[in-house]
């Protein structure tokens, strides 16, 4: 097998999933992660269509199902917590939903014995030469690898080093989101409650067997100038946007200040003509982030990892051939998943009181409308917009 030594940047979802398949195909993967340890917590992520097939082929579908959130209905309420409209779980949770941290743990446990993990370090430089890549790190000594894969998210460090500044590829959808773990002070039992004001959405849903909850804050905005590594600055942005919002918002903001897994970012997509340059390729959000509004980011990461590793194996490690085939296999799937996010923002974060009333009326009438089935099937159609090849693996 050519190009056996593969460095993967990122230990969230796409990185460990790629390491899993590379090892099954006879490669020697190493995963480097900036965080000092595996990151727990985080928001709920969904699986639909082909991604469930990949989990099954990994032998991990049962483990993911066992850790599923089993989220029920979501109720939209007014400022006095009176129900306005209820949406079924399938609208929010896909075919299978799990907390991101739980998924990362399952993938890590499935790979830790055969994959080298380096926590608390990051790539600072990539120098490609005839038969490999010299990689420098923030803390560790330089090392040689045959290939390098960026699985390091929307703000991919690997992509910036090789493809250039992210503003060239990032397409903002006009929304920002903050999510974090808070106490389940409403006593929610596998359900969620959301509240809207024009251009703002606040929500909370139970997690971890109702022992905690996840608070979320969405708002519409033009592009903001902030440091995506400055958590204190991001918390201030959220508090300023929501300080005068009704319902349970003040309590949730107060609890969010202590959230150990606070997350804040723009709802953005990454659009690239190619997912590779030379010996460096991208997978997951680093290559084709679909934005949280699509609900397809995790499916893209899991499927992309499967396809990239499979094409490398099918090509015998010939990276130009494999990377080209990976792009062709994923192109239609990426387009379908990214298209789901287009126009979703106004439904989840209505910009005006008129839009809010219109949205609620549609949700109330939806069970009786002839296009309900079509709306429910759209995400499933996107999730199945790829036919998975049966890549041969090395017997274990």
């Amino acid at each position: 097998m050519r190009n056996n030594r593969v460095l993967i940047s990122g230990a969230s979802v796409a990185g460990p999933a790629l390491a899993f398949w590379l090892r099954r195909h006879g490669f020697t993967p190493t995963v480097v992660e900036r965080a000092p340890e595996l990151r727990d917590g985080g928001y709920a992520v969904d699986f639909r269509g082909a991604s469930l097939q990949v989990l099954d082929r990994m032998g991990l579908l049962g483990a993911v199902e066992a850790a599923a959130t089993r989220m029920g209905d979501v109720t939209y309420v007014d400022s006095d917590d009176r129900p306005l409209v209820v949406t079924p779980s399938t609208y929010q949770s896909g075919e299978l939903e799990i907390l991101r941290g739980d998924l990362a743990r399952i993938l890590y446990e499935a790979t830790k014995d055969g994959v080298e993990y380096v926590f608390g370090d990051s790539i600072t430089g990539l120098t490609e030469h005839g038969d490999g890549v010299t990689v420098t790190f923030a803390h560790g000594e330089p090392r040689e690898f045959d290939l390098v894969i960026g699985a390091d998210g929307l703000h991919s460090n690997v992509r910036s080093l090789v493809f250039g500044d992210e503003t060239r590829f990032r397409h903002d959808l006009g929304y920002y989101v903050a999510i974090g773990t808070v106490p389940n002070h409403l006593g929610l039992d596998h359900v969620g409650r959301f509240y809207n004001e024009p251009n703002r959405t606040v929500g909370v849903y139970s997690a971890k067997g109702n022992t905690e909850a996840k608070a979320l804050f969405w708002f519409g905005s033009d592009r903001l100038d902030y440091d995506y590594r400055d958590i204190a600055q991001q918390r201030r942005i959220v508090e300023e946007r929501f300080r005068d919002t009704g319902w349970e918002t003040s309590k949730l903001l107060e609890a969010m200040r202590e959230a150990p897994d606070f997350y804040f970012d723009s709802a953005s997509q990454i659009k690239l003509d190619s997912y590779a340059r030379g010996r460096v390729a991208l997978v997951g959000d680093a290559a084709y982030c679909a934005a949280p509004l699509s609900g397809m980011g995790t499916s893209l990461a899991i499927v992309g990892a499967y396809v990239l590793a499979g094409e490398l194996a099918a090509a015998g490690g010939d990276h130009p051939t494999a990377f080209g085939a990976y792009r062709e296999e994923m192109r239609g799937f990426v387009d379908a998943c990214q298209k789901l996010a287009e126009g979703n923002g106004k439904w989840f974060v209505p910009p005006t009181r008129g839009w809010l009333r219109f949205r609620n009326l549609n949700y109330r009438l939806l069970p009786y409308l002839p296009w309900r089935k079509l709306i429910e099937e759209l995400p499933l159609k996107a999730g199945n917009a790829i036919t998975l090849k049966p890549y041969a693996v090395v017997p274990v």
Side-chain angles (χ1 to χ4, degrees):
M1 181 76 70
R2 296 168 55 187
N3 296 322
N4 183 270
R5 302 166 302 166
V6 183
L7 176 65
I8 303 166
S9 176
S12 181
V13 175
L18 178 62
F20 177 97
W21 285 112
L22 285 175
R23 182 168 174 266
R24 290 290 303 274
H25 288 301
F27 293 86
T28 303
T30 296
V31 179
V32 60
E33 166 59 45
R34 181 187 300 272
E37 59 187 7
L38 200 64
R39 287 179 286 188
D40 200 4
Y43 46 89
V45 297
D46 306 337
F47 291 95
R48 293 179 173 90
S51 61
L52 292 170
Q53 298 177 46
V54 175
L55 286 178
D56 191 36
R57 294 180 188 186
M58 296 173 83
L60 299 179
L61 181 57
V64 175
E65 288 176 335
T69 61
R70 295 176 176 81
M71 184 58 57
D73 296 342
V74 169
T75 301
Y76 286 85
V77 300
D78 65 14
S79 59
D80 294 318
D81 202 42
R82 293 175 299 202
L84 297 173
V85 64
V86 178
T87 61
S89 60
T90 53
Y91 286 17
Q92 306 284 344
S93 306
E95 293 181 90
L96 178 61
E97 183 185 69
I98 185 174
L99 294 179
R100 187 210 59 79
D102 290 344
L103 176 60
R105 177 69 59 182
I106 289 170
L107 292 170
Y108 174 71
E109 292 294 332
T111 54
K112 66 178 183 179
D113 292 336
V115 173
E116 178 189 8
Y117 279 86
V118 180
F119 287 99
D121 210 345
S122 60
I123 297 171
T124 58
L126 298 167
T127 303
E128 185 173 336
H129 43 80
D131 56 357
V133 183
T134 301
V135 183
T136 56
F137 299 91
H139 304 294
E141 294 297 317
R143 295 176 61 176
E144 294 291 323
F145 293 92
D146 299 314
L147 303 172
V148 176
I149 311 296
D152 44 353
L154 172 64
H155 305 295
S156 170
N157 177 46
V158 171
R159 189 185 62 234
S160 294
L161 289 170
V162 177
F163 288 73
D165 189 87
E166 77 172 40
T167 56
R168 297 168 54 191
F169 317 109
R170 194 180 94 203
H171 296 256
D172 295 339
L173 300 184
Y175 301 92
Y176 286 82
V177 59
I179 302 173
T181 300
V182 300
N184 185 9
H185 79 280
L186 293 178
L188 301 176
D189 184 0
H190 295 89
V191 295
R193 294 181 87 79
F194 287 1
Y195 170 73
N196 286 113
E197 290 184 5
N199 227 23
R200 292 182 287 193
T201 296
V202 183
V204 61
Y205 56 89
S206 62
K208 296 285 187 182
N210 302 326
T211 60
E212 63 184 34
K214 303 294 179 179
L216 56 86
F217 301 83
W218 280 85
F219 64 92
S221 174
D222 293 333
R223 180 175 291 189
L224 300 176
D225 183 15
Y226 70 98
D227 182 350
Y228 71 88
R229 296 198 184 281
D230 187 341
I231 301 299
Q233 181 190 23
Q234 294 165 25
R235 290 183 194 269
R236 288 195 298 271
I237 291 172
V238 176
E239 296 218 14
E240 289 169 2
R241 293 279 175 162
F242 288 89
R243 68 160 51 104
D244 59 347
T245 307
W247 187 54
E248 297 286 328
T249 304
S250 61
K251 291 180 181 179
L252 293 173
L253 284 174
E254 183 177 357
M256 184 71 91
R257 295 177 193 136
E258 307 300 324
D261 55 352
F262 177 84
Y263 167 89
F264 176 82
D265 215 333
S266 61
S268 302
Q269 297 183 335
I270 295 297
K271 295 181 181 288
L272 293 166
D273 293 330
S274 173
Y275 307 142
R277 291 268 179 93
R279 291 178 172 271
V280 179
L282 305 170
V283 68
D285 282 356
Y288 29 73
C289 181
L293 290 166
S294 73
M296 299 301 297
T298 302
S299 291
L300 279 168
I302 291 291
V303 172
Y306 173 82
V307 172
L308 175 54
E311 292 298 341
L312 278 168
D318 178 8
H319 63 284
T321 299
F323 291 164
Y326 162 57
R327 172 70 176 91
E328 289 305 305
E329 286 296 308
M330 290 295 293
R331 180 169 53 184
F333 186 45
V334 169
D335 289 346
C337 292
Q338 289 189 335
K339 188 175 182 179
L340 275 181
E342 298 174 4
N344 274 358
K346 286 186 177 181
W347 293 91
F348 194 61
V349 191
T352 65
R353 294 199 180 278
W355 247 103
L356 180 53
R357 289 191 293 270
F358 175 75
R359 191 278 310 274
N360 289 347
L361 177 62
N362 271 266
Y363 280 169
R364 288 193 199 100
L365 296 177
L366 194 57
Y368 313 103
L369 297 176
W371 54 84
R372 174 188 175 178
K373 189 172 180 61
L374 175 63
I375 294 173
E376 291 177 339
E377 289 178 348
L378 282 174
L380 291 177
K381 184 177 180 180
N384 285 298
I386 185 171
T387 301
L388 300 176
K389 293 181 179 178
Y391 301 109
V393 297
V394 176
V396 293

